[in-house]
């Protein structure tokens, strides 16, 4: 239920603030409560465009003086935190001034075996996972599948890095990627070095399941062996590798270029 802003919360001992703090810091708490936090006006607006009004809005005291946040929360039930408490949540170095508590969304249907997909194999950095989701959504990918060991996609840091991409994708967590590829009715494309074809010379048709691996380790051998297409990104410069999010962007938008061309 929405919480009406009847007073300013300024104590770290306040039960509601303690709940916010646990949601900000603990994946176990998010799973237990079935909730997570959105940070920032853009994320809140993106969520509401996809799912309807949020249950609880939380605003920093200073954000209510004027500006976009003040206009957005006008005539809505909100909880108000002191600026010090908003900073104490530690979501970002410079808080946006607006949070929302939302229920953890679930994919509306099982993974599609005949549609384009992005598969993440053990990608642990929240910023990378968020950037990968954002790139996938921008490239028109309908679904993203994460193996166990990936950063939790609905954590506040991943949500912030995704900038609303979550709400344009079917996000599937803790997926057995090998089993998915075994049943997939398309081509698995894995970025690797051994026996790989340069991206711009590679040929493909039909749906693709792009597989991107953990920072440092890359894609597991088990998944590489299931790939119908092994791809490497040509790098004529002095650097031998790319950040996983950058590599994904190169691959996905080469596929976009071919579709549009």
């Amino acid at each position: 239920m929405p919480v009406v802003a009847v007073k300013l919360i300024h104590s770290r001992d306040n039960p509601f603030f303690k709940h916010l703090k646990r949601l900000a810091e603990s994946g176990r708490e998010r799973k237990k409560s079935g909730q997570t936090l959105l940070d920032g006006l853009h994320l809140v607006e993106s969520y509401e465009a996809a799912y309807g009004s949020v249950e609880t809005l939380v605003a920093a005291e200073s954000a209510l003086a004027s500006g976009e946040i003040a206009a957005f929360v006008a005539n809505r039930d909100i909880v108000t935190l002191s600026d010090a408490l908003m900073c104490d949540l530690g979501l970002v170095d410079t808080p946006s001034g607006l949070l929302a508590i939302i229920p953890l969304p679930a994919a509306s249907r099982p993974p599609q075996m005949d549609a384009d997909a992005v598969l993440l194999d053990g990608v642990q950095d929240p910023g990378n996972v968020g950037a990968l989701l954002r790139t996938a959504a921008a490239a028109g990918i309908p679904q993203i599948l994460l193996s166990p060991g990936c950063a939790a996609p609905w954590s506040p840091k991943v949500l912030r890095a995704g900038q609303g991409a979550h709400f344009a994708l079917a996000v599937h967590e803790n997926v057995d990627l090998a089993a998915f590829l075994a049943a997939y009715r398309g081509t698995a494309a894995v970025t690797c070095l051994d026996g790989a074809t340069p991206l711009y010379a590679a040929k493909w048709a039909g749906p693709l399941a792009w597989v991107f691996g953990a920072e440092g380790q890359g894609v597991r051998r088990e998944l590489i062996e299931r790939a119908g297409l092994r791809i490497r990104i040509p790098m004529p410069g002095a650097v031998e590798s790319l950040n996983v999010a950058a590599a994904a962007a190169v691959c996905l938008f080469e596929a976009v270029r071919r579709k549009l061309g």
Side-chain angles (χ1 to χ4, degrees):
M1 294 179 62
V3 181
V4 179
V6 295
K7 65 177 181 178
L8 169 67
I9 295 176
H10 56 79
S11 171
R12 288 176 174 80
D13 294 325
N14 180 276
F16 181 79
F17 176 75
K18 288 183 176 181
H19 179 56
L20 288 179
K21 187 74 170 173
R22 289 192 296 268
L23 289 178
E25 296 179 346
S26 170
R28 180 177 298 179
E29 179 66 22
R30 291 191 290 271
K31 183 176 293 187
K32 176 183 175 182
S33 66
Q35 296 176 319
T36 190
L37 294 177
L38 302 180
D39 178 22
L41 179 58
H42 174 73
L43 264 186
V44 176
E45 289 180 326
S46 297
Y47 175 88
E48 292 196 335
Y51 294 104
S53 297
V54 300
E55 294 181 0
T56 305
L57 283 170
V58 183
E61 184 180 15
S62 61
L64 300 180
S66 62
E68 291 183 325
I69 291 175
F72 180 75
V73 302
N75 301 315
R76 298 182 63 163
D77 292 336
I78 63 169
V79 179
T80 307
L81 293 184
S82 70
D83 289 358
L85 288 189
M86 186 66 82
C87 289
D88 194 50
L89 289 174
L91 291 173
V92 291
D93 292 337
T94 305
S96 68
L98 183 69
L99 302 174
I101 299 177
I102 63 166
L104 287 171
S108 59
R109 58 182 175 180
Q112 297 174 266
M113 298 300 174
D114 56 359
D116 289 340
V118 165
L119 281 57
L120 303 186
D121 183 30
V123 180
Q124 298 177 342
D125 181 78
N128 280 340
V129 172
L132 283 156
L133 266 68
R134 190 175 184 183
T135 299
I141 302 295
Q143 56 184 345
I144 189 160
L145 289 68
L146 296 88
S147 75
C150 285
W154 297 104
S155 70
K157 289 182 178 179
V158 175
L159 280 159
R160 186 175 178 87
Q163 285 294 295
H166 293 67
F167 313 131
L169 292 163
V171 180
H172 303 277
E173 299 181 69
N174 298 313
V175 177
D176 182 337
L177 299 186
F180 173 83
L181 291 179
Y184 188 62
R185 297 190 294 274
T187 301
V190 174
T191 53
C192 63
L193 295 177
D194 297 340
T197 302
L199 173 64
Y200 305 114
K203 301 182 186 301
W204 62 74
L208 282 176
W210 292 93
V211 187
F212 301 106
E215 304 89 346
Q217 293 88 355
V219 177
R220 282 175 289 151
R221 174 56 56 181
E222 176 187 14
L223 301 181
I224 292 175
E225 291 175 352
R226 291 183 179 273
L229 189 59
R230 299 183 186 185
I231 288 176
R232 62 178 174 85
I233 299 172
M235 293 181 227
V239 176
E240 297 180 353
S241 64
L242 290 174
N243 169 279
V244 62
V250 172
C251 294
L252 295 182
F253 279 92
E254 170 61 13
V256 170
R257 185 191 68 79
R258 295 188 188 193
K259 286 181 179 179
L260 296 180

